[in-house]
Amino acid sequence: MEIEDLASSSDGMSDLEVTSKELNDEELQYTSGSIPKLQFKKDTSKAHWNAEMGMAGVIEKKGKMWITTGIVRRGKLYYTIEETLFLAEILAVHMLDVDDTTLFLKDLYEKVAEGKSGCCWETFEVYRHLKSLGYIVGRFSFINQLKTLQISDLRPDFEVYLPNNKFRKSSPSDPSFMLYVTRAHPPSRNEIEELERKCNGIPLKFSHVDPGRVSFFSINRVELPILP
Amino acid sequence: MGPRWKGKDSEARALAEPMSEIVQQLQSCLIHSKTRGLLLGCSVLLGAGADCMDLLIRACFGQPIITAEKDKQWFELSLEESFYLFHSLRCLEIAGEDKRLKNEDEIWQYIISKKPAFPYFYKAYSHLRDKNWVVRSGFQYGVDFVAYHYHPALVHSEYAILVLSEGSDDVNGRLNVWSDLKCMVRLCGSVVKTLLVLRINRSDGYLAVSPLCLEKCNVEEYTITRWNPEQCREEKTINKRTGFLFMCSVCRMVSRACNNNAKMRVGDVKYQEEIAQDNGQRHNADPEEEKEKLEKLKF
């Protein structure tokens, strides 16, 4: 190759491969004139909301969603607010209040708004996004953290497992990754370090929520190799 | 993502002529010819004879300036490039407007007055150059640098680089807000590069008054990549020892299945085509973006 060719290609402009056409799903919805239809579950479990615990106690199990959802305490299955809301949205659970009256979606959304059950709206949207895709998602547990004496508010939000039809709540393997739902700003270096410490070697991902849209990122420490 | 070589023979050429050797030859050539550069604004101009011209181009320092002059080829170097030749490789002398050669402190003061954040950018630049990566301006991509495995004529750049410093006095002001981070990751995906953050950490005794401050800081490298849960559902390997990397492979073209009326079985839950399509719409499945991702996987 001639020196002139080397010189002229040193600015790397040929790398620019930006796609000009962009398919915007909002535009699609607008033109189609209808809201996408959701396939509802035919098997509906039943659960009572327990305000003291901030969880739903399952009294009737139907279908298969319960296998990979909820936690068992003293022999009974409980759903967190995000699990409850997700299942309620797709009719996988029929929610009852303590006096056996039906709790509608409006009531459940209000419970999220109250903020007393350990999950805010943005965290729920992340939960729902992954759960809809078949991932197995649980709240970050402190069981692995017994060695860590430092207690601070900063911790991962979820433990996530890849879709797995052999998953058993009683004997899960290590999560595939931990997930932190970022708040207003990208995580700082110190925040990343503190979160990773609490992950005990399990990879950490970050998610960000714009209303209705969830995106995920990995921030990985690397070391570029020394080249010849 | 490994290096994307341009053409069949490029990788072999790179192995036959390692960049470290080319840079060494350039160093000798500049010392031998007593080449001197001229400080002009935020650039350094130098006139090179035939031997040095060839090596400057092959080592990828500076941009040639097209002039009618026949016996000399003029090059314009960035502050980082010229300071690397001056300070790290000790093969270039630099003069100011008074035509007098400047010493290291004078050059440093001049550069800092033009570009106060220079120590961070130079630390990042020299960190990668010392590892024999080719580092060029990232101006056209809105980043600080781009890094190539070898000469840009033979390989596409792999990394788009942003330089960050720690703490509240981060001099570059990048990636403080989500819109900037998302914009960068999106852009990098479109031009098939990985976003690389070089974080410059200062230790005690750091003072920007002299080049000695460069020894009082170190570089941490991070990549920031977008993860698409629709495409990564089957585990390939998890590197548990480092705990930092998560590898996944595309097990099925999930979004393709959604669009092709296929029924999917995921975990214990059976999804009908409508729910998959609804999820695709609800969760911003972007066919153009998926196409780009597929193209990337070919490399």
Side-chain angles (χ1 to χ4, degrees), chain A residues 1 3-7 9-19 21-23 25 28-29 32 36-39 41 64-65 67-68 86 89-90 125 128-135 160 162-168 174-177 182-189 192-193 196 201-210 212-228, chain B residues 4 6 13 15 18-20 53-54 57-58 60 62-64 128 130-133 136 140-141 148-154 156-157 159 166 175-178 181-182 185-187 190-193 196 199 201 219-230 232-235 238-240 242-246 265-272 274-275 278-279 281-288 292:
Chain A
M1 191 178 278
I3 292 295
E4 287 79 15
D5 293 337
L6 281 180
S9 43
S10 65
D11 66 359
M13 283 301 287
S14 60
D15 285 335
L16 207 60
E17 296 157 17
V18 180
T19 53
K21 189 179 170 209
E22 194 142 50
L23 205 61
D25 62 346
L28 254 191
Q29 281 192 6
S32 73
K37 291 210 179 354
L38 192 59
Q39 186 80 8
K41 294 271 155 262
K64 291 187 181 171
M65 294 288 324
I67 296 175
T68 51
F86 169 73
E89 279 185 342
I90 58 171
E125 289 201 281
R128 182 219 272 147
H129 186 115
L130 288 178
K131 198 75 177 149
S132 305
L133 292 170
Y135 290 86
V160 186
L162 293 175
N164 175 7
N165 56 9
K166 295 196 179 65
F167 180 85
R168 294 289 172 263
D174 276 345
S176 306
F177 61 91
T182 61
R183 282 36 177 183
H185 56 81
S188 71
R189 173 173 168 265
I192 295 171
E193 278 189 357
E196 282 176 343
I202 294 170
L204 173 66
K205 291 197 190 301
F206 299 86
S207 64
H208 177 66
V209 183
D210 280 320
R213 291 167 184 265
V214 183
S215 47
F216 299 88
F217 297 89
S218 296
I219 301 177
N220 295 313
R221 183 83 192 266
V222 295
E223 197 159 330
L224 262 56
I226 299 174
L227 298 179
Chain B
R4 290 185 301 137
K6 297 178 181 176
R13 271 190 72 178
L15 281 171
M19 188 52 65
S20 56
M53 170 189 93
D54 173 65
I57 290 173
R58 284 165 60 206
C60 230
Q63 292 278 13
L128 290 180
D130 286 346
K131 296 206 266 193
N132 301 315
W133 286 77
R136 302 291 274 176
Q140 64 264 39
Y141 303 109
Y148 298 80
H149 212 92
Y150 196 70
H151 194 285
L154 301 182
H156 293 284
S157 63
Y159 295 101
E166 64 182 319
L175 303 186
N176 291 324
V177 292
W178 270 110
L181 193 150
K182 286 182 171 183
V185 173
R186 180 84 188 219
L187 170 69
S190 300
V191 296
V192 201
K193 294 180 207 320
L196 181 71
R199 184 173 289 281
N201 303 313
V219 182
E220 284 176 351
E221 305 171 13
Y222 296 88
T223 55
I224 302 184
T225 49
R226 176 107 186 252
W227 178 68
N228 192 340
E230 279 93 348
C232 292
R233 297 197 213 186
E234 186 174 284
E235 193 175 306
I238 291 181
N239 190 333
K240 284 201 173 167
T242 65
F244 287 112
L245 295 176
F246 177 68
R265 193 172 189 91
V266 180
D268 268 339
V269 181
K270 193 172 175 184
Y271 282 91
Q272 300 291 325
E274 292 92 348
I275 198 173
D278 165 67
N279 286 334
Q281 281 188 340
R282 184 195 239 174
H283 303 299
N284 313 318
D286 183 344
E288 289 301 318
E292 282 162 21

Side-chain angles (χ1 to χ4, degrees), chain A residues 124-150:
Chain A
F124 167 70
E125 289 201 281
V126 174
Y127 174 86
R128 182 219 272 147
H129 186 115
L130 288 178
K131 198 75 177 149
S132 305
L133 292 170
Y135 290 86
I136 298 163
V137 187
R139 282 202 193 169
F140 175 74
S141 71
F142 275 104
I143 292 172
N144 289 331
Q145 304 309 311
L146 291 172
K147 295 177 218 164
T148 317
L149 297 175
Q150 201 182 27

Side-chain angles (χ1 to χ4, degrees), chain B residues 5 8 32 47 55 57 78 87 101 126-127 132 138 142 144 175 187 192 240 243 245 248 256 261 279 292:
Chain B
W5 296 99
K8 276 186 295 188
H32 183 74
L55 289 162
I57 290 173
S78 68
H87 173 82
L101 285 178
S126 59
H127 174 79
N132 301 315
D144 298 316
L175 303 186
L187 170 69
V192 201
K240 284 201 173 167
L245 295 176
C248 56
R256 289 285 164 103
N261 296 322
N279 286 334
E292 282 162 21

